[in-house]
Amino acid sequence: TAIEKKLVPKFEVFDNDTTRESWARDVYQMQSIVEQMMKVKHVAVPVLDGNLQSIRSSWTRIQILRLFLHHVIPPNIDPLLKKTVLAKIKTVWMTLKNPDMKTHATFKNVIQVLKIINVQAAKLHYTGGVNECIRCKEIPSKAVALPCGHVGCEDCLIEFIEQRGGERRCPGERCKSPKIPDDFEIKSTFDVNEAVKKHGEFRSTLNLFFMDLIDNFCFTSMEEPPEKKVLDALLEFITVKTLSGDSEKKSTKELSPFQEHGIDSSPVLRSFLLQLCLKCDKKLSLEHIEAFMAHKTSLFDCEDEVVEFSQLYINCVQDVNLQRIYNSDKDIETVLILRSIEILDENLDTGGITDFYIPSLDAFSNVRFALGQVAKVVSMYIENPDHIEQSRYMTQLITLANQFLGEGSHTAKEFLVREISMKYRADAVMEMKKYPCLVKLLPEELVKDETSIPDLFHISGKHYQVLKSQMIKGLIQNDFSEFKDHLENNPDQHQIVNVILLALYNCLYLQKEVEVTQEALSNFTNVIQEVSNRWHRFPKVQDLLNNILRSDIGAFDSNDNQSLRDMEIKKIAFFLRSNLSSTQAQNGLLEFFQELVFTPDNLLIKFLPTMPHDVTFEIITEMKKEITTYNLAPKFFLCPNNHVYTIGECTKPNGKGKCADCGTDIGGQSYDQLMQGNKLLEGEKDKTRTGYTEVVEGQTKEGTREMTPFEVSILQLLIHLGLLSASLDKLTGVSNLCQRPEQDIFNYLLGKINLGITAASKYVGKSQDEILFLVSSLAAEVSKWEGNKFDLLSHQSRVDWEREFVKKIKDFNNRLEPIRNDYDIAVETDDTSSLGALHTLLHGEVHYKTAHDRLWQVRFRVTADNLMEWLVSNNQANNAQTLIEFMKKIDTVEFLGNLPAILQLQKQLVEKFTGRIALSDVEGMSIRDFYSKVEDTNKEQFIQLSEVLLQTWNNLSDKVKGFGGIMAAELAKLDMFDRVLDPGNTSAAFLFPASHGKGLCSYALAMLLIDTHNSLVRSDLPPIHPYSAGPGHLATLTKSQVQTMLLAHTRYYLQKNGVTKEEYDIVSMDRRIKEKYVQGRPRLLDTELQRIQFLEDRSGFEQRLLSSRITQQDLSNNAQYQIETELNSLPDLCQLLESVYTAKDFLLEAGGQPDLSLAKFLGNLHLYNGDIPGSTNGGPFRHLQLAHVDSLLNFLLLVRAKRMIKNGQSPFEQVIPLAYRCSLPIALSETITDCLTSIPHAWLLPNLFSFIWTRLRTQPTGDSSGQPEWPLKDTLAPHVLQGEEHCDNIHADILVKHAIDFFQIVTKAAFDF
C-alpha cells in the first residue's frame, strides 16, 4: 500500500537522529488517515477485507517500531550505545512480521529480542556483559566486580561466602573461573557502581517500552484477550524465580521481562501485570494462581513468601474492583457503602480465612474492603453523629459491622482500629466508647484502656521532657530543687521560657495521674515567681504565666465533657501562644502571627493571607485588554442586583438577556438604552476586603492565588488556631475581626479548625493525626520565621507574604521526618505517662497468632484524586513538574479524548445544514426531536456523538463558563449552566457550533479542549488541523490512566506494625508522561473552527440585488399563489431558499439570460428545486425565470415568516434588535380589525415585511436617532413603491418599535392563525 511504501523504515540511515525523528513524524501525520480506515470493522468484499487486515497488521508493526525508537533510541543517546542497539533494529523489525502481541509466538520473540539487546548493551558497561548480581539476579547493590568477570551485590557475595565456608568462590554454578583469590577484597568500587547506574538507566528504557507494549498492544480490548500462554508468561514474571547458588531457594519477583529483575530483600512486589491479567481474563488468572499456590510448599522455604504473594493478590483484587466503581457514573460514595453492606451480610456466617486459596483470598479481600468503609463511616460518626444517624445506609453498615465483629476475629477488630486511627483519627477510638453502637467494634483491651494519648508538646524538644519530668516529680515530693537547678544552669532563656509554659499547662490542667496539693502548688508558684524575674524581656510570658498560676485561662481549661480532639486543638493553640510570647522579633512572617494572637484589632485594615480577593475585578482588568472587531474594549454593566455582565463588539446594549447569577433582565430595551435597573459600571475598583472573610473548608480544587488547596488549608488552620489563642484575653478583638458574637467565637473557631483538619487530610491522603502533628510542628517553628517586612496593606504585599509562607512550609517538609523520629523517641521514653494499648497497637510490633492474620494489613493508597497534593506535601514537586501540570488540568484533560467525536459532529452539522436551517427552528426544538431530521443510515452514530457532546458539557460547563474572555461574557447570558443537559431538555441549537445563541456553548467547549491540549504539549512534531486529530494525537490522560500508572510504579512494603507501605517511582511516571504526551503529541493548529451559518445569518446581511447584473421583474399573483400552495413543508421551504440564494450568488458572478428557466438552472447546478424524485416538471418554480430571482427571494422570506408565525415561532427573534420588538399596547391591538378593513392585507403584509427585513435589520443611514419612537405610518410611507395612501390608515400611536408585534398580529388575524 501507499502507506507501507511511505513508512517502510530505512534502517541504513537510522543512525542519523534527524532521519529517525522525520520518520516518526511521518508516522504521526499518517495516523489520522489510518485510524479512519481502521474504523471499518467489516467489508463485504473479501479482497477489500483482506486488504484492511493487511493495513492493520502493517500499521501495528510500524507503531510498535515507533514506540521502540521513542523509548530505547531517543535523541542524544550515547553514540556507542546507539550503534549497539541499531545493530539489532532490523531484528526487532523482522520479529514484528506478525505484530499481534496477543499471540504467544510474537510475544515470546519480542521478549527474546529485548533480552538480547539488554545483554549486548551490558557488554558496553560490564566485563563480559554480565549485568545482574550473580547470586540474587537483581540489579547489583553496592556492586563488586569479581575476577572471573561476574558482578554481585556486596552483601550477597559476603553472605554466600560466609554461609558456604571453605574456599572462596563465585556463586555462579557455571562460572569458568570460580576461584576468588584470598587477597581479593569483597568491596564495592566507584567504577563498578557507575557502570551499574549507567546500564540501569538504559535497562529502564527497555522496561518502559515493555510496559507500553503490553498496555497498548497486548491488552487493547478485553473482549479479545491475549492467548493463554501469554497470560501464563506474564504471570510468571511476578511469581517465582530461583536464586543462583541456592538451587532450592525461590522467591517472588517484580515486573520485568529481564532475568536480573527479580528478588528484593524487602521483599518488594509489583502489581501492574497481575492487575492487567485480572481485568482481562480473571478465570485464567485465577487458574494459574491456584496452581501456583497449590505448589507453594515446593516453591517456598517459608510461609512468608505465601503471605506476601497473597497480600499482592488481595491488593490487586481490591484495586481492580475500586477502579470499576470509580469508572462508573453512579454516586460513588453510596455504591461503596451498599457494596460493603452486601459483603458483610454475605459473610456473617462464615468463619475466618483458613487457607491461601483463591476463594478464601477473594472473600478476605472483600471483607477487608468493607471494614475499610466501616472505618470511614465511624470517623464521620465521631465528627457528626446526627448526620450519620439520619443516613439509613450508614447506620445499616454500622449495625452489620457489629454483627460481623461481635463473635468475629480479634485480629479483624484490631485491623478496624488501625484503619480508623492511621487513616482518619486516633482519638476516634477513645470517642467510640461514648456511643453504644460503636463501642462493640473495639477490642476488649481498648474498651478497658483509659490511658491518654501521647503528649503533642514533646515536639518542642528534649528540654520539655526533662522539665515536665522534674516538675511532676517536684509536685509529688513537694521538692523543686532539681527543677530550679536545671533552670539556673540553662542559658537558652527563650527555649526554657517556652517549655516551662508548656510543662506548666500540662501539669496543672491536662495530666490526671498526679493530684496537685495546695501546698505543693504554693511552693511551686514561689519558685516560678523567683526565676521569672529573669524574663523581664518577655512581658507576654509574665502575663500568660500569671493566668496559668491564677487558674485564669478561660476556655483553655480542660473539662470532662470535651472531646479529645477539642483538647488537642486547645493544646496547639496554647503551644502557638506560648511560643510567640517568648519571642521579641517583629518582622517577617512572624509579625503577622504576633498581631493575630496579641493585637487582632490591627488586622481589620490588612489583607489577610488565604482570604479571597476580588476575582471579578481581575477578570475585568484582563478582559479590557481584549479588542473587539470594532477596535473597542468591552464595556461592563451591572444588573439590578449588582452582578457584572459585559457587552462586546460595538459595546452598545442592543438585546435582552438574563443575568447568569440571578436571572433578572439585562441588556437594552432599545438600541443604546439600558433596561430598567441596569447601569454602566464605570470607574470599577478592586473590592477586595481587608480583614477576615469566612471561607468554606474543603470546597476548592483550585487553591487561592499561587497556593495549593493543601497549603491554603494548613495556613488557615494556623490562622484559626492563632485567633483561638487570642480569645484568651482579646475576645472582643477576635469577635470584631471574625464578625461573630463573643459568646459564639470559641465554638465557631473550634468548628473551623475541625473542618480544616478534615479537609487537609483529604487533600493529601494522610490521617488527621498527621495533619495535627504537622500543624503542631509549625506552631513550634513560627517564632523562627523572621525576615523581610510585610505590611499586608496591599494585595501585592499579601501575595508576597503567601509566597514566603509556601517556601517555609516546603523547607519544613524536608525536615519533618527527623522531627517525627525525635518526637516518637520522646514519647517512648516519657517517664511521666504510660503508653496505653492503643499506642502499642499502632506503633508496636504486631504479634500474629496465625499466618492468615498477617493479611490484615492497612493500606495507604495515593489515588489520582489526591496525587497532586500528595506530590506537593511530600516535596516531590520538583521531580514531577509535568505530572503536576497535567493534574492541575486533569478535570479537563480527562475529556480530551471526546474532542474528535465533538468535532466530527460539528463538522457534519456545518456541512449538511449551513444555510439550510433557521436558528429559530432549532432553538424551539429539542435534540431528541431533531433526531428525526437525521437520515436513518447516520442516526445511530449521530445520537452517539450527541451524547458524547452532552456528557462532556455536563462535566466541563463550569470550565467553559470561565474560558475565552468576551466569549465567556456572551456565554454567561445563556441559561445553559444551571442544569444537567440531556436530549430531552436541551435545544437542538446547542449542537450547532455558532457565534451566537446556544450553539456558542458547543463551539466554546471545543475551543476549551483544543486550548487545554496545546497548553500541555511541547513537541517538535508538525502541528495538525483539529479535524484531523484522533485520540492518538491528543494528550488524553485520564484519572483511570493515572491510577493505572501509579499501580505500575508502586512498590509494596509489608511492615511489622500491620501496615502495607507503598512507595511510588514518581520520576519514572513524570518521564513517561512527558515522553508520551508532552513530547509525543503534536499541537493542534490555532485555527478558527467551522461554525454553522443559519438562514438568518445568510439573509441577515445587506446583499447586492441581482438586478445589478440581470433584468428583474415581480412575481405575478398567480405565481405567488401557486408556489405558496405547493410549499407545504417548512424544511422544504428553507432548503429552497438556500438553493435560490446559492443560484443568485453564482449569477452575480457569472451573469445569465433573464428568460432562462429557473428550475432548469437550479437542476444544472445540482441544487434542490423542490421537484418530486423521478419527476421532471421542475417543481414549484417551473413557471419562473432568472428574471424572478430577487422577487422570489422576498416572497419566500415572507412565506417563511408566515409559516413560522403559524407554528408559534418568531421569524425575527435572532435578527431584529430588541428596540423594535416591543409589544403593542392592548388598546391598540383592538384596532387591528378596523385596520384590516381599510388596508388590504395583500398590500400591508409584503410591504411591512420588506420594511422590517431591509430597514430594521441593517445599520440605518442618515439621522435615525430615536427611530423606535417614530410613528410607523410616517416611517413606512417613504419605503413603499406604490399604495402609499394606505399608510394613513395605520393608527398614529403605532410606533416603529411596535412593527414586529404589529406584523405578527396582522398575520394571525388575516389568516386566522
Side-chain angles (χ1 to χ4, degrees), residues 180-198:
I180 301 176
D182 293 339
D183 59 350
F184 181 84
E185 185 179 10
I186 308 294
K187 189 172 182 62
S188 176
T189 63
F190 175 80
D191 290 342
V192 178
N193 278 319
E194 282 298 298
V196 168
K197 180 181 177 183
K198 194 171 184 179

Side-chain angles (χ1 to χ4, degrees), residues 184-225:
F184 181 84
E185 185 179 10
I186 308 294
K187 189 172 182 62
S188 176
T189 63
F190 175 80
D191 290 342
V192 178
N193 278 319
E194 282 298 298
V196 168
K197 180 181 177 183
K198 194 171 184 179
H199 185 70
E201 291 172 353
F202 171 73
R203 186 173 48 241
S204 70
T205 66
L206 291 176
N207 253 339
L208 284 172
F209 167 68
F210 174 69
M211 291 169 66
D212 256 0
L213 188 66
I214 62 171
D215 201 10
N216 293 307
F217 296 97
C218 197
F219 290 88
T220 52
S221 170
M222 296 310 173
E223 289 81 22
E224 300 175 12

Side-chain angles (χ1 to χ4, degrees), residues 434-452:
K434 300 177 182 179
Y435 303 97
C437 63
L438 300 182
V439 68
K440 295 179 183 179
L441 301 176
L442 297 173
E444 186 176 353
E445 64 270 21
L446 287 183
V447 177
K448 297 177 180 178
D449 184 34
E450 296 297 333
T451 308
S452 61

Side-chain angles (χ1 to χ4, degrees), residues 1102-1121:
E1102 189 172 359
Q1103 300 186 35
R1104 289 169 58 198
L1105 295 173
L1106 190 54
S1107 58
S1108 62
R1109 287 295 304 263
I1110 300 175
T1111 302
Q1112 294 291 292
Q1113 63 186 56
D1114 292 336
L1115 288 175
S1116 66
N1117 290 336
N1118 287 338
Q1120 292 182 20
Y1121 178 79

Side-chain angles (χ1 to χ4, degrees), residues 412-611:
K413 286 187 175 183
E414 289 184 337
F415 166 78
L416 179 62
V417 170
R418 286 199 298 271
E419 189 85 3
I420 294 169
S421 302
M422 293 179 172
K423 285 190 176 180
Y424 302 102
R425 45 191 294 182
D427 68 297
V429 175
M430 298 302 176
E431 296 297 321
M432 287 169 69
K433 300 177 186 180
K434 300 177 182 179
Y435 303 97
C437 63
L438 300 182
V439 68
K440 295 179 183 179
L441 301 176
L442 297 173
E444 186 176 353
E445 64 270 21
L446 287 183
V447 177
K448 297 177 180 178
D449 184 34
E450 296 297 333
T451 308
S452 61
I453 59 178
D455 185 0
L456 269 177
F457 288 165
H458 278 301
I459 292 171
S460 58
K462 60 182 180 180
H463 285 297
Y464 171 76
Q465 186 175 358
V466 172
L467 282 174
K468 184 177 77 164
S469 176
Q470 292 175 346
M471 195 176 290
I472 289 179
K473 182 179 178 181
L475 289 170
I476 294 173
Q477 300 175 355
N478 197 13
D479 179 5
F480 300 98
S481 56
E482 188 177 347
F483 171 74
K484 189 175 179 180
D485 290 341
H486 184 85
L487 294 183
E488 291 175 348
N489 294 323
N490 196 298
D492 190 348
Q493 290 300 305
H494 163 67
Q495 189 175 31
I496 285 293
V497 168
N498 182 30
V499 296
I500 282 181
L501 291 171
L502 298 178
L504 196 59
Y505 179 56
N506 181 80
C507 292
L508 299 184
Y509 294 94
L510 304 181
Q511 63 87 23
K512 305 296 182 183
E513 290 85 356
V514 177
E515 184 176 350
V516 180
T517 65
Q518 190 61 42
E519 181 183 1
L521 179 60
S522 177
N523 291 335
F524 181 61
T525 301
N526 293 334
V527 172
I528 291 293
Q529 288 177 343
E530 182 180 339
V531 297
S532 66
N533 293 329
R534 308 175 192 170
W535 305 333
H536 60 85
R537 293 182 294 116
F538 307 114
K540 297 183 180 68
V541 169
Q542 294 282 6
D543 294 339
L544 185 55
L545 192 60
N546 292 333
N547 286 339
I548 294 173
L549 295 174
R550 293 198 308 265
S551 298
D552 182 21
I553 58 171
F556 283 94
D557 201 351
S558 62
N559 61 75
D560 295 334
N561 295 324
Q562 69 185 1
S563 68
L564 284 173
R565 169 58 58 80
D566 287 351
M567 194 61 245
E568 290 293 280
I569 291 172
K570 290 180 182 180
K571 286 178 69 173
I572 301 172
F574 184 88
F575 199 166
L576 181 62
R577 185 181 183 102
S578 68
N579 195 14
L580 292 172
S581 296
S582 55
T583 305
Q584 293 177 298
Q586 291 284 336
N587 54 39
L589 304 184
L590 169 62
E591 182 181 0
F592 165 71
F593 288 102
Q594 287 176 323
E595 286 189 301
L596 190 70
V597 173
F598 302 116
T599 55
D601 276 330
N602 292 355
L603 298 177
L604 286 168
I605 61 169
K606 296 192 176 184
F607 293 92
L608 270 60
T610 77
M611 300 301 143

Side-chain angles (χ1 to χ4, degrees), residues 751-782:
K752 298 295 288 184
I753 294 167
N754 270 306
L755 289 173
I757 293 168
T758 303
S761 69
K762 289 179 179 178
Y763 281 136
V764 290
K766 293 184 177 181
S767 73
Q768 294 182 27
D769 295 312
E770 288 178 281
I771 300 301
L772 277 174
F773 182 84
L774 172 63
V775 174
S776 301
S777 302
L778 290 172
E781 290 266 326
V782 167

